[in-house]
Amino acid sequence: MQPEELSNINPPDTQALWNLVRPYTGEQCDVQPTVRGYGADVTAIVQCENGPVFVKACRNRPGGRRASIIRERLVNPHVRAVSAALRWHIEDEQWIALGFEVIEGQSADFTPGSPDLPAVVGVVQQIGELPLPEQAHDWQETRWDRFADEADAQLFRGATLLFTDINPGNVMIGNKRAWAVDWSWPTRGAGFIDPACLVVQLIAAGHLAEAAESWAADCKRWTDAGRREIDAFAAATLRMNRTVAERRPDESWLQSLAEAARAWCEHRGVTS
């Protein structure tokens, strides 16, 4: 599919994007759109003169998507041990775009018995060990705050770089390594949060809560946390997922996450 043929898939002004990135791509032979997340208007693998590249772009106007793209650009040099490398970035008045190396892998399987699980846990453990970049000192994690009282919200503070968007689509498994991709909103907070997010995802994928926590126990940041911290986060996670699922009742995956959070709270004896 040629770039000029994308208007029926992506915004009608997409051609301006492909013109913008051409100095980095050279001639663009084929563009394969990928599933877009909330942090981008366009995501695609581009086969081009200068080699394949994964392009992620959004309209260059104030708001969450632009802020997310910028944050992902800033954090990339510090997370390349676990993520795809950013090869270039460019913007004009209309578009802001990132060009990443194309990684060879497939989305992780989170279901019980999956051979991918050790690699998934390994990625979460690696993220917890990354040094906090200077740019991230102001990226305090606050998304769970409104679902917890003030005292509990303080338990979510910390100096660990967080990914938070752990799900099967964002963990890629290759022949010899795994990656965490789509660093749309990295933050700074308590180190147990990423393993806790993994627990909810594992339960949603079919694990019993006890088994899901046993996988998290392979992460040092999880074992370093106290029961109160994790219980408070479990309760806030249930409130958050329940609220989002109620607002978007037609999206079954949100219902699954809310049910997983409820099962986790029941396992821990947490009320919400």
Side-chain angles (χ1 to χ4, degrees):
M1 181 178 294
Q2 298 300 316
E4 60 269 16
E5 297 174 324
L6 284 170
S7 60
N8 63 331
I9 298 174
N10 286 316
D13 54 353
T14 303
Q15 185 57 45
L17 168 64
W18 306 121
N19 291 339
L20 174 67
V21 304
R22 188 164 286 111
Y24 292 99
T25 65
E27 181 181 355
Q28 298 155 357
C29 306
D30 184 64
V31 175
Q32 293 296 327
T34 64
V35 176
R36 294 202 301 272
Y38 292 109
D41 293 312
V42 175
T43 58
I45 295 176
V46 182
Q47 302 294 336
C48 54
E49 181 181 356
N50 296 337
V53 63
F54 175 75
V55 175
K56 182 175 184 178
C58 73
R59 293 179 180 85
N60 197 357
R61 60 193 184 198
R65 287 187 172 181
R66 185 181 190 280
S68 173
I69 288 277
I70 292 174
R71 191 172 288 203
E72 187 165 5
R73 171 175 65 80
L74 291 173
V75 82
N76 184 263
H78 307 281
V79 300
R80 290 183 181 180
V82 294
S83 188
L86 180 66
R87 292 169 51 185
W88 48 260
H89 60 90
I90 192 170
E91 65 179 287
D92 63 9
E93 292 182 355
Q94 191 171 4
W95 286 96
I96 179 169
L98 308 177
F100 293 91
E101 68 172 329
V102 175
I103 59 178
E104 297 294 334
Q106 60 185 11
S107 297
D109 180 358
F110 278 25
T111 59
S114 166
D116 295 345
L117 292 174
V120 172
V121 175
V123 166
V124 177
Q125 167 68 6
Q126 279 184 278
I127 293 171
E129 294 175 345
L130 293 173
L132 183 70
E134 182 178 352
Q135 298 94 325
H137 281 276
D138 294 332
W139 299 349
Q140 181 170 282
E141 178 56 68
T142 60
R143 283 169 290 185
W144 281 266
D145 286 12
R146 69 188 182 94
F147 301 100
D149 63 33
E150 185 175 352
D152 283 350
Q154 291 303 311
L155 302 176
F156 310 153
R157 304 290 180 260
T160 299
L161 179 66
L162 301 176
F163 178 53
T164 69
D165 199 10
I166 297 166
N167 64 69
N170 281 350
V171 180
M172 303 293 292
I173 306 294
N175 288 331
K176 296 182 179 180
R177 62 168 293 187
W179 302 264
V181 300
D182 194 9
W183 283 74
S184 295
W185 205 252
T187 55
R188 172 181 62 83
F192 70 84
I193 289 178
D194 273 339
C197 290
L198 174 63
V199 167
V200 177
Q201 289 286 335
L202 291 176
I203 297 171
H207 294 255
L208 295 176
E210 182 178 6
E213 287 193 343
S214 73
W215 283 107
D218 288 337
C219 298
K220 185 177 183 300
R221 297 292 187 177
W222 172 272
T223 57
D224 285 346
R227 183 174 185 89
R228 182 189 171 199
E229 287 93 329
I230 295 176
D231 283 353
F233 188 79
T237 297
L238 174 55
R239 297 182 193 112
M240 172 190 282
N241 287 336
R242 189 166 54 200
T243 298
V244 174
E246 288 171 355
R247 290 176 178 173
R248 295 152 63 181
D250 295 334
E251 298 188 44
S252 59
W253 67 277
L254 294 174
Q255 305 296 327
S256 295
L257 287 179
E259 178 59 27
R262 183 196 60 77
W264 186 30
C265 283
E266 287 185 355
H267 167 70
R268 297 189 64 85
V270 173
T271 58
S272 176

